[in-house]
Amino acid sequence: MQAYLFSSEYRREAPDYPVLWKRGAATLYDLAPENSEGLAVLLVPSLINKSYVLDLYPEVSFAQFLKAQGFRPLLLDWGTPGETEKNFTTADYISSHALDALREARARHEGPIALLGYCMGGIFTIAMAQLASVFVDALVLLATPWDFSAPDTPRLLLEPAAQAMLRQWIRSLDPVPPVVTQTLFHLIDPWRVQEKYSAFPALDKQARRHFLAVEQWVNDGVPLAPAVAEECFVDWPQGNILANHQWKVGRRWIDPSALACPALAVIPQRDLIVPQGVASPLAKELPRCDTLSPDAGHVSMVVGRRAQKLLWEPVAEWLNEKFND
């Protein structure tokens, strides 16, 4: 059923945005060059899924909403790992790609710049804000995982021998295919797929289009460099290296308490991928952090039918409060 839905009923038309910067597989798109005098919002997605969740289609696009509010959304698209990224760690993505894209954004934009990171992208923006603090004026973190020791963490602790076996298996995959990540997420809530597809026949035309757009993104995964997968599936959940400040980028240990810029942590109430207990400790570490807890899940927060009210508008209001007073 799933393959039929995607093969026959929905095609996403990729927009043609101006390119500000490119290196390897990564590209920085300018979604609103005409808003050059407004606040630039550099959107940093996860490596696991494609960036267009933030620009799903014209009527459901967080990025286009920000543009309509006078902001200048810049979208960092990681692309599919190629020859440049095949041996990357997460630190390499930041040092080689993210910081360079941020420098280019700073050179091309006269006004302030806010970083907005979604899920793993939020982790990356923490490092970016610490390592290039002079370029970053604010930080927005959407469902960003941090402390995997929380009771609601969706993972099973493995013995050292099992962790070693998992590492060895990941290293044997080059790259690690999207099905690995999708299977792990599926195990968090195994019945969810059956529930949502059983409701599909009753949806009207507009709701079907939206359902298929979201499902295309969910299933349009990205392969991972083995070292990145090892960090995501072993070091972060098993070793809890983020919360223990054992994650190093270049010569710096990443420590959120070192950030001076204002931050907004968005922690959805019904997030099964990054539960509140996993995300909340990060907000507590940031010295100047406000929090928002929408009644939504990990994905519905961004592209659900109430996303504009629950997320887009509050984030825009927060940004305006910080920069238009």
Side-chain angles (χ1 to χ4, degrees), residues 138-175:
L139 194 59
V140 178
L141 306 167
L142 309 183
T144 299
W146 194 255
D147 189 349
F148 292 86
S149 70
D152 57 358
T153 302
R155 63 94 170 85
L156 177 67
L157 278 175
L158 301 177
E159 295 294 330
Q163 291 187 33
M165 290 178 63
L166 180 56
R167 289 183 190 276
Q168 185 177 9
W169 177 68
I170 289 172
R171 291 170 185 172
S172 72
L173 304 172
D174 188 13

Side-chain angles (χ1 to χ4, degrees), residues 157-316:
L157 278 175
L158 301 177
E159 295 294 330
Q163 291 187 33
M165 290 178 63
L166 180 56
R167 289 183 190 276
Q168 185 177 9
W169 177 68
I170 289 172
R171 291 170 185 172
S172 72
L173 304 172
D174 188 13
V176 178
V179 68
V180 173
T181 305
Q182 291 166 352
T183 300
L184 292 173
F185 287 153
H186 173 68
L187 291 174
I188 293 173
D189 188 6
W191 296 106
R192 175 60 181 154
V193 172
Q194 179 178 339
E195 291 172 356
K196 62 185 180 182
Y197 275 96
S198 64
F200 179 81
L203 300 178
D204 60 30
K205 183 177 180 180
Q206 181 178 354
R208 282 192 175 203
R209 179 191 182 217
H210 181 74
F211 177 93
L212 293 174
V214 174
E215 286 304 296
Q216 182 189 66
W217 173 78
V218 168
N219 290 277
D220 194 12
V222 180
L224 297 176
V228 170
E230 193 174 337
E231 290 180 72
C232 295
F233 303 147
V234 184
D235 294 331
W236 292 357
Q238 301 294 326
N240 203 26
I241 66 170
L242 299 175
N244 291 330
H245 302 161
Q246 295 173 340
W247 183 43
K248 197 174 188 180
V249 179
R251 299 182 178 180
R252 301 278 296 277
W253 297 101
I254 302 306
D255 181 1
S257 67
L259 301 189
C261 66
L264 173 65
V266 181
I267 306 171
Q269 297 176 27
R270 295 186 283 109
D271 194 337
L272 298 180
I273 304 298
V274 183
Q276 291 181 302
V278 179
S280 295
L282 175 57
K284 295 175 182 177
E285 285 198 49
L286 291 164
R288 301 172 61 192
C289 188
D290 299 317
T291 59
L292 174 67
S293 297
D295 181 18
H298 191 80
V299 177
S300 64
M301 167 187 65
V302 179
V303 294
R305 59 184 177 85
R306 298 190 298 155
Q308 179 170 333
K309 179 180 179 181
L310 295 178
L311 177 71
W312 305 354
E313 291 176 358
V315 168

